[in-house]
Amino acid sequence: MAIEGFDYKGFAQSMAEQAKELVPKDLQPDEQEYIVNTLGNFTMLAGEAVYNDESLQITAEQAVFITQIIAEWSFHKSIDLIHSGIKKDYWDSIMQKIAFTIFEVAKQGVIRNIPQEQLLQAVEHHVIKVYKKCIEDLEQKGIIDENTKEQAESQSNIDAMAKQAAEEQIKEKEAPLNEAESKRKEAQRQREEVRRQRKLEKEMETSEGTVTIRQMKLMSLAMVLKVLSQDKVVTILNKFDDDENKLISHYMNMANLESQLDGDIFLNCLKEMKDFLPSKRKLTKENVMRDLLRLYKSNSREAIEKVIKNERPLVKRFISQAYDGEYSGLPIQVAGIVAQYVEDSI
């Protein structure tokens, strides 16, 4: 029985269209065409094989996962071959061996319910192994020399793209101060905060009829929570035990809460609230979609489209489909960067 909900033809076409937007623009037109065609063909073949294999008994989501791995590695390794110095006559045979290896490793991993992260690592290990073996075979047959072999083995487009994405993120968020000066000022700021905190605690301990530092922190937090959305409030309150949770909720319902707070103490408590905020979540498709949908609820579509008006068509399409709750198949690392960029730019 075919896999219900798995349109492998449409998926292969979609991945090929995305590849057109991502191919390096410095390559020749025929080289760009080779990348797109190779990705599309292998994705189509893998999708069809999974779709028609009744013994697999996997879901549409798992089928997409397997074929998407084929698509992504076909993209990266075809670029590596173009940069390798190896003649085009040998590209297809190398790519066929790589695609077959990915398909078998991914399929067996899904069947055995291997965790996704471990499976992706296994696929990468075997891709590198097969790619290197193909290059060594060409050298042994006298088809390529030692210099071409070294050049080919040094290619890794997937690492280059990851490095580029990381560097772009750093450039956007990097402070204008140099690192050494920034660290020195941060250390100085922390020392001043410690001294201020100790002074406040001493004053609170010696003053009669005043609340404790712990109570003041919880009251300050309650002030902030009163203006946050309900989902954020729940997330933050879950970090406290039951007693503190009840106390914070009590403070949030106090009609005269503002009058109970000392301005200086309140500001000092606010600076410490980074410890209460949720830690960074794992980058997953569900989390990226959840973040985007949250942005759509609090911002107009026009405002978001204005942020991405100069972006590539692939990014615009991803954002547009996300409005309807659909994930376009963009690589998760790229999707995470896009979502963070939109949030920071609103």
Side-chain angles (χ1 to χ4, degrees):
M1 181 178 179
I3 302 174
E4 184 178 354
F6 178 45
D7 177 14
Y8 68 88
K9 293 180 181 179
F11 181 75
Q13 184 178 358
S14 174
M15 295 303 290
E17 289 296 323
Q18 292 180 39
K20 291 180 182 179
E21 305 292 337
L22 294 174
V23 290
K25 303 307 178 185
D26 60 330
L27 298 181
Q28 296 298 319
D30 63 318
E31 294 173 335
Q32 296 183 23
E33 184 178 0
Y34 177 81
I35 296 169
V36 174
N37 289 341
T38 299
L39 179 150
N41 291 337
F42 285 144
T43 304
M44 177 75 74
L45 290 172
E48 184 178 11
V50 171
Y51 185 81
N52 292 324
D53 191 344
E54 297 182 358
S55 65
L56 284 181
Q57 296 182 347
I58 61 176
T59 65
E61 184 177 358
Q62 290 172 318
V64 168
F65 176 69
I66 293 174
T67 49
Q68 183 168 347
I69 295 176
I70 296 281
E72 291 180 358
W73 276 110
S74 296
F75 177 83
H76 293 302
K77 297 317 289 184
S78 58
I79 292 177
D80 289 347
L81 282 174
I82 291 172
H83 291 149
S84 69
I86 297 173
K87 292 183 179 180
K88 188 174 182 179
D89 297 343
Y90 304 100
W91 293 355
D92 284 346
S93 62
I94 295 175
M95 288 303 304
Q96 288 169 6
K97 293 176 183 178
I98 291 174
F100 177 79
T101 299
I102 297 171
F103 181 74
E104 289 301 317
V105 173
K107 183 175 68 173
Q108 293 301 320
V110 169
I111 293 173
R112 298 174 183 176
N113 292 319
I114 295 176
Q116 188 175 113
E117 189 66 28
Q118 294 181 20
L119 178 53
L120 291 175
Q121 291 175 0
V123 169
E124 181 174 7
H125 169 76
H126 285 282
V127 168
I128 295 172
K129 182 178 179 180
V130 173
Y131 178 72
K132 184 176 181 181
K133 180 65 167 56
C134 291
I135 294 171
E136 291 174 348
D137 289 344
L138 291 178
E139 184 195 22
Q140 291 174 3
K141 295 176 181 177
I143 297 174
I144 62 174
D145 56 21
E146 178 67 23
N147 290 334
T148 303
K149 172 179 175 290
E150 292 179 357
Q151 178 179 333
E153 290 181 342
S154 67
Q155 302 302 318
S156 181
N157 185 70
I158 190 171
D159 289 338
M161 286 188 66
K163 181 180 179 181
Q164 181 182 2
E167 288 175 348
E168 290 175 355
Q169 278 191 309
I170 291 174
K171 287 180 181 179
E172 291 176 358
K173 297 181 179 180
E174 198 172 41
L177 298 174
N178 63 61
E179 185 176 356
E181 179 67 10
S182 179
K183 287 183 177 180
R184 185 189 67 79
K185 290 192 174 185
E186 176 61 20
Q188 180 179 352
R189 186 194 67 79
Q190 291 179 358
R191 288 194 295 270
E192 291 175 351
E193 287 297 326
V194 170
R195 286 196 294 268
R196 177 179 174 82
Q197 180 65 22
R198 289 175 179 172
K199 179 180 178 182
L200 287 173
E201 290 178 352
K202 185 176 181 180
E203 290 175 350
M204 294 298 289
E205 290 172 356
T206 56
S207 301
E208 295 183 0
T210 57
V211 296
T212 65
I213 285 293
R214 171 179 171 274
Q215 291 174 316
M216 186 61 68
K217 289 180 178 179
L218 296 180
M219 293 172 70
S220 300
L221 176 60
M223 275 288 296
V224 174
L225 295 183
K226 290 176 68 173
V227 299
L228 294 182
S229 62
Q230 185 61 33
D231 59 333
K232 289 185 178 180
V233 171
V234 173
T235 300
I236 294 175
L237 288 180
N238 286 339
K239 289 182 169 289
F240 296 87
D241 59 35
D242 290 341
D243 291 339
E244 290 179 328
N245 205 317
K246 292 178 181 178
L247 191 56
I248 294 171
S249 299
H250 170 72
Y251 289 146
M252 291 177 66
N253 294 321
M254 286 179 57
N256 61 341
L257 177 60
E258 294 85 350
S259 64
Q260 302 295 319
L261 296 173
D262 178 273
D264 291 336
I265 297 177
F266 175 63
L267 291 176
N268 188 67
C269 292
L270 286 179
K271 294 177 182 178
E272 296 179 357
M273 285 188 187
K274 60 182 180 181
D275 296 331
F276 301 146
L277 297 178
S279 58
K280 185 178 180 180
R281 299 171 300 169
K282 182 179 180 181
L283 184 60
T284 64
K285 179 175 67 177
E286 291 75 17
N287 285 339
V288 169
M289 291 298 296
R290 188 177 296 113
D291 289 342
L292 286 174
L293 291 174
R294 174 175 50 80
L295 288 176
Y296 298 160
K297 289 181 180 179
S298 56
N299 299 276
S300 67
R301 184 162 187 165
E302 291 75 16
I304 294 178
E305 289 179 344
K306 184 178 180 181
V307 171
I308 62 170
K309 66 178 182 179
N310 295 322
E311 293 297 326
R312 293 172 298 182
L314 177 64
V315 173
K316 293 180 180 179
R317 184 162 59 250
F318 171 73
I319 293 297
S320 177
Q321 291 181 350
Y323 269 104
D324 301 321
E326 298 178 4
Y327 189 88
S328 68
L330 200 68
I332 187 61
Q333 294 85 356
V334 179
I337 293 172
V338 171
Q340 186 62 51
Y341 168 76
V342 173
E343 183 173 4
D344 292 343
S345 303
I346 288 295

